[in-house]
Amino acid sequence: MLDFFTIFSKGGIVLWCFQGAGVTESFTGPVNALIRSVILQERSGNNSYTHEALSLKYKLDNEFELIFVVGFQKILTLTYVDKFIDDVQLHFRDRYKNELEQKGSLKLLNNSFEFGNEFKMLLREAEASGKAKSPAPMRSFKESEKSQKTVKSMIETKGGDKGKEQSGKKNKNTKKDEAAKGDQVKAPPTVQKVTVENGNQGLTADEIMLKKREEFFRKHMAAPPEKTSKSPKPQKPREKPRRVWDISGKSGKSTKTLDYSDSRNGEDSTNEGEPNQDGTLPESMPGELLPVECDSSDEDDIVEEEDGEVAVVGNTSSISSKKAGGFGGMFGMLKGLVGSKNLTQADMEPVLDKMRDHLIGTSSAKGSICDFILGEAEMYTFTALSVASTVKQALQDSLVQILQPKRRVDILRDVMDAQIQRRPFVITFCGVNGVGKSTNLAKISFWLIENGFTVLIAACDTFRAGAVEQLRTHQRRLNSLHPPEKHGGRPVVQLYEKGYGKDAAGIAMEAIAYARNQSFDVVLVDTAGRMQDNAPLMTALAKLIAVNMPDLVLFVGEALVGNEAVDQLVKFNQALADHSMSDKPRLIDGIVLTKFDTIDDKVGAAISMTYITGQPIVFVGTGQTYNDLRSLNARAVVSALMKA
Ligand code: GDP
């Protein structure tokens, strides 16, 4: 009954397909139409699509980057198809897990996926279950229960039901009441006082020592707390699970220090005076940030391969063909295209198709970048260089161009300008939960302090439990690295907080006013993590930005999630525009790309984010210590991408 079933990679390689008995029509047309009009445009909402007389159902497997498509005549009602497609997906994944994990397109091409028998067995089972579930024939009125009832019995039943209904309603109301009461109990305690927290203010030296001693004993001696009461615990606001990232081998750094998302870590910290948990001091970071490091040893090598000889253009030394890094990775696939000839668009198309697959694999912005490159590549004289090196050069230049900031972002200079105007320079950080807003805000504070500025951190994440404590811990640590004694008795960083449950826009406003009065140079506004499609929270963020007009709105996104980060950024921007009350809404001005140390060669997100929104990557987070903050080195990033 199925016309066809096909499994292919997101790069377009067909791994396996099945054509129903007696079906003569090719299914390439309908599948191509599905890819063009649904999958490439990311409209994959309801997982079904109609093409002429065919119904197509499809499923995306994001882990292995596969697409499963089944087609059947649209006049048929096949109730089992959804479950069947799930079953095929599971079986196919299980069976070819190892091959799929290798992911490289060429490896997939070389594999033969013998899936016919398993598929037929699954299809038989699905069809059998479909038949078993086919709808029962309709009963006649005489067979129905209603025909047995007298009018009287119906009236009685109705009365009874009414009673039940009422009691039901009553129950609902009581439940509502209880819920309302519960809400009152659960409402987070609002902290009335405004504290400008700065270590153990207000305590004498003896008291501080006593407090620390108590904390030490509590930490080291305490047995697990006994359960004293059996009453249900009041429900806390959902706490974000503490993340621990594996650092990729590249950086070689340990995952120490900056994870204060665990509130115990923040409050009970006994080594407050110590900069890092291992006692090491962060390196100092005055001046401009160092550019992000990628393995870019062959950065500018354009390799030409003619008559079996390999030479490096722009570098006079010859290298062995094995060492020709420029042709490693995705450029390996261009080897067959060498030679000196004039290039036409037709020559470029297959190369760019492969490149498109590759870019999708490294999570950058799909086809559009290829189109851009195609335009760029045409500007080159193709006669002298081989196809591969021409394409490589064009690609490299285009990607570097994409990553170059279109606007000048020079925070140190802008802070100085603001100083002259006797006002604080305000940066607001936004993004979804757990991407590293607070951590990177602390790193940026460190960098600003190292450059001689004072910082006020506004704790405007008034929602997530532990958010304020996390910032307080950073504030203490930063002050212990730059003690007030070295800064004329003035703490270089302070925290402006009002606890939880308050209006974030209001707190930001008070913090900015406080910073102006107290002559702080910079205000860094931390905001609560929110999902890009949560309308009320996005409205609140738009309000915070509209009311406070920060100098810079930075979107924090983790490089780790690839295209998902691009999606977040686009939707954040869109939501800020949609939910702003003003005609000229303030949008995102720049990006903080975090967890860059965890992505190996998957640097495509960086390119996609900048290409799609045109916003510069202002900071790159490369780890969990205060030093792990970099600026973007476009060439190095592009080079890493090309080597992948
Ligand atoms: P927030 O909810 O957005 O404020 O996120 P946090 O600042 O609490 O960070 C969440 C987790 O990501 C913490 O464990 C941080 O240590 C970690 N993190 C933040 N930035 C980086 C980074 O650049 N690299 C790595 N490896 N981890 C990071």
Side-chain angles (χ1 to χ4, degrees):
M1 281 220 249
L2 297 185
D3 276 32
F4 69 85
F5 197 115
T6 173
I7 305 173
F8 52 94
S9 73
K10 284 193 182 169
I13 299 169
V14 178
L15 306 184
W16 182 84
C17 62
F18 155 89
Q19 187 142 12
V23 179
T24 48
E25 299 225 336
S26 154
F27 51 83
T28 322
V31 173
N32 279 345
L34 168 77
I35 294 172
R36 253 195 321 272
S37 33
V38 181
I39 294 171
L40 280 182
Q41 300 194 22
E42 296 186 344
R43 291 193 193 141
S44 34
N46 60 4
N47 292 359
S48 59
Y49 173 71
T50 312
H51 181 80
E52 293 166 3
L54 281 181
S55 259
L56 274 72
K57 291 235 169 201
Y58 63 94
K59 178 143 198 209
L60 307 182
D61 182 319
N62 290 331
E63 188 183 348
F64 290 120
E65 311 215 311
L66 298 179
I67 304 175
F68 296 76
V69 183
V70 58
F72 52 91
Q73 293 298 318
K74 73 176 173 209
I75 46 162
L76 299 177
T77 321
L78 301 183
T79 48
Y80 60 79
V81 169
D82 286 332
K83 182 172 177 310
F84 176 60
I85 207 165
D86 285 348
D87 290 346
V88 172
Q89 182 204 10
L90 289 179
H91 279 76
F92 191 82
R93 283 168 52 120
D94 278 359
R95 175 129 178 227
Y96 293 112
K97 204 158 50 205
N98 294 341
E99 287 85 338
L100 295 169
E101 262 160 9
Q102 294 174 356
K103 277 200 178 146
S105 330
L106 292 177
K107 283 182 193 141
L108 287 180
L109 259 182
N110 293 337
N111 252 311
S112 61
F113 294 89
E114 303 286 344
F115 193 59
N117 291 340
E118 210 163 333
F119 177 82
K120 283 192 184 129
M121 190 258 301
L122 289 171
L123 183 59
R124 266 197 304 277
E125 280 175 13
E127 285 177 343
S129 77
K131 272 182 202 148
K133 275 187 202 157
S134 60
M138 225 193 278
R139 280 180 300 176
S140 66
F141 177 70
K142 280 197 172 166
E143 287 165 344
S144 75
E145 277 174 29
K146 208 171 181 183
S147 69
Q148 315 296 322
K149 290 181 182 168
T150 61
V151 174
K152 199 178 162 204
S153 74
M154 280 185 186
I155 293 168
E156 274 171 9
T157 322
K158 238 185 165 181
D161 278 352
K162 219 175 178 183
K164 266 187 211 161
E165 227 173 64
Q166 270 171 355
S167 70
K169 267 187 192 161
K170 201 176 164 197
N171 280 345
K172 261 191 204 163
N173 287 342
T174 2
K175 266 188 200 159
K176 254 191 206 164
D177 285 349
E178 275 164 14
K181 275 183 207 160
D183 276 350
Q184 278 169 15
V185 178
K186 276 181 228 158
T190 51
V191 179
Q192 294 302 330
K193 71 174 177 2
V194 178
T195 50
V196 175
E197 181 62 54
N198 180 27
N200 289 312
Q201 266 177 353
L203 297 182
T204 65
D206 282 349
E207 280 169 343
I208 293 172
M209 204 190 295
L210 208 66
K211 191 173 146 209
K212 286 203 169 165
R213 202 173 286 164
E214 269 170 25
E215 283 169 352
F216 177 82
F217 280 114
R218 201 167 57 236
K219 206 169 174 187
H220 291 272
M221 322 277 286
E226 273 178 37
K227 281 186 184 168
T228 46
S229 137
K230 283 184 183 165
S231 62
K233 286 180 193 160
Q235 214 181 332
K236 280 191 202 158
R238 202 158 63 89
E239 241 178 77
K240 181 183 67 175
R242 179 175 175 231
R243 291 193 185 188
V244 178
W245 298 101
D246 273 350
I247 300 278
S248 74
K250 268 188 185 172
S251 76
K253 283 178 184 152
S254 64
T255 56
K256 59 197 175 197
T257 62
L258 290 192
D259 184 4
Y260 301 140
S261 52
D262 184 344
S263 54
R264 277 173 307 152
N265 208 355
E267 286 303 85
D268 293 350
S269 171
T270 47
N271 56 354
E272 218 166 78
E274 296 287 336
N276 285 333
Q277 279 170 7
D278 63 357
T280 57
L281 278 166
E283 289 157 35
S284 69
M285 312 170 72
E288 294 295 331
L289 287 169
L290 292 173
V292 69
E293 282 165 27
C294 292
D295 190 359
S296 55
S297 45
D298 67 332
E299 210 173 288
D300 287 315
D301 299 348
I302 300 166
V303 186
E304 271 200 78
E305 195 178 332
E306 268 176 48
D307 304 330
E309 274 189 30
V310 176
V312 183
V313 177
N315 176 351
T316 44
S317 64
S318 288
I319 53 169
S320 76
S321 60
K322 258 195 166 179
K323 226 193 136 207
F327 276 93
M330 81 164 152
F331 284 91
M333 68 195 168
L334 304 179
K335 273 185 181 163
L337 295 170
V338 294
S340 88
K341 61 167 190 162
N342 284 334
L343 272 188
T344 62
Q345 178 140 347
D347 290 326
M348 296 285 289
E349 278 301 347
V351 178
L352 286 166
D353 277 349
K354 286 182 181 171
M355 209 173 279
R356 190 175 280 127
D357 287 351
H358 175 76
L359 289 172
I360 291 169
T362 51
S363 26
S364 51
K366 312 226 164 98
S368 39
I369 287 183
C370 285
D371 299 338
F372 181 76
I373 293 158
L374 187 60
E376 290 289 301
E378 276 165 1
M379 288 159 48
Y380 286 77
T381 357
F382 292 132
T383 39
L385 295 170
S386 70
V387 178
S389 51
T390 304
V391 173
K392 184 180 179 192
Q393 179 68 64
L395 176 62
Q396 200 157 1
D397 289 354
S398 324
L399 295 178
V400 169
Q401 196 187 323
I402 291 170
L403 282 173
Q404 295 301 348
K406 310 280 173 295
R407 287 181 293 109
R408 184 191 68 93
V409 184
D410 184 345
I411 295 184
L412 296 180
R413 225 175 83 180
D414 291 347
V415 175
M416 282 192 258
D417 284 349
Q419 265 179 337
I420 295 168
Q421 296 164 28
R422 298 182 172 279
R423 64 173 186 90
F425 184 81
V426 182
I427 309 180
T428 300
F429 294 79
C430 60
V432 310
N433 241 330
V435 289
K437 283 184 299 302
S438 320
T439 307
N440 286 280
L441 180 147
K443 292 185 210 171
I444 293 167
S445 306
F446 179 66
W447 172 66
L448 289 166
I449 297 164
E450 290 272 304
N451 281 290
F453 298 118
T454 50
V455 175
L456 183 71
I457 301 175
C460 297
D461 180 354
T462 58
F463 182 73
R464 175 168 68 83
V468 177
E469 289 72 16
Q470 188 178 354
L471 290 177
R472 188 178 296 143
T473 307
H474 282 304
Q475 176 243 333
R476 285 181 187 162
R477 289 185 178 250
L478 290 166
N479 272 325
S480 70
L481 290 170
H482 277 271
E485 304 86 69
K486 291 196 183 155
H487 296 268
R490 180 184 174 165
V492 281
V493 53
Q494 289 194 20
L495 180 71
Y496 190 92
E497 61 115 333
K498 270 193 162 184
Y500 296 97
K502 290 274 175 71
D503 171 42
I507 300 178
M509 186 179 273
E510 288 171 28
I512 296 168
Y514 180 85
R516 193 186 287 266
N517 288 339
Q518 302 292 317
S519 312
F520 278 94
D521 301 315
V522 187
V523 181
L524 300 181
V525 182
D526 186 30
T527 62
R530 63 202 78 213
M531 289 311 288
Q532 61 273 25
D533 26 33
N534 184 328
L537 292 182
M538 290 310 300
T539 312
L541 181 65
K543 178 184 151 196
L544 186 146
I545 292 171
V547 169
N548 293 294
M549 290 309 278
D551 296 279
L552 212 53
V553 179
L554 293 182
F555 171 82
V556 186
E558 47 182 13
L560 193 61
V561 295
N563 273 328
E564 167 63 19
V566 181
D567 184 56
Q568 285 167 9
L569 171 58
V570 171
K571 290 193 174 146
F572 253 73
N573 232 356
Q574 190 55 48
L576 285 182
D578 293 348
H579 299 290
S580 162
M581 307 292 161
S582 134
D583 298 342
K584 283 189 184 166
R586 257 315 285 285
L587 303 180
I588 284 157
D589 302 310
I591 300 161
V592 182
L593 189 64
T594 64
K595 306 184 188 175
F596 202 73
D597 50 313
T598 62
I599 52 164
D600 289 328
D601 55 18
K602 302 253 183 217
V603 293
I607 293 167
S608 305
M609 281 175 143
T610 335
Y611 178 69
I612 290 174
T613 62
Q615 298 305 348
I617 295 177
V618 184
F619 297 105
V620 181
T622 54
Q624 296 177 299
T625 71
Y626 290 136
N627 296 119
D628 294 325
L629 191 67
R630 298 281 180 274
S631 63
L632 190 86
N633 175 350
R635 283 221 161 258
V637 169
V638 169
S639 178
L641 175 71
M642 313 262 288
K643 281 181 77 188

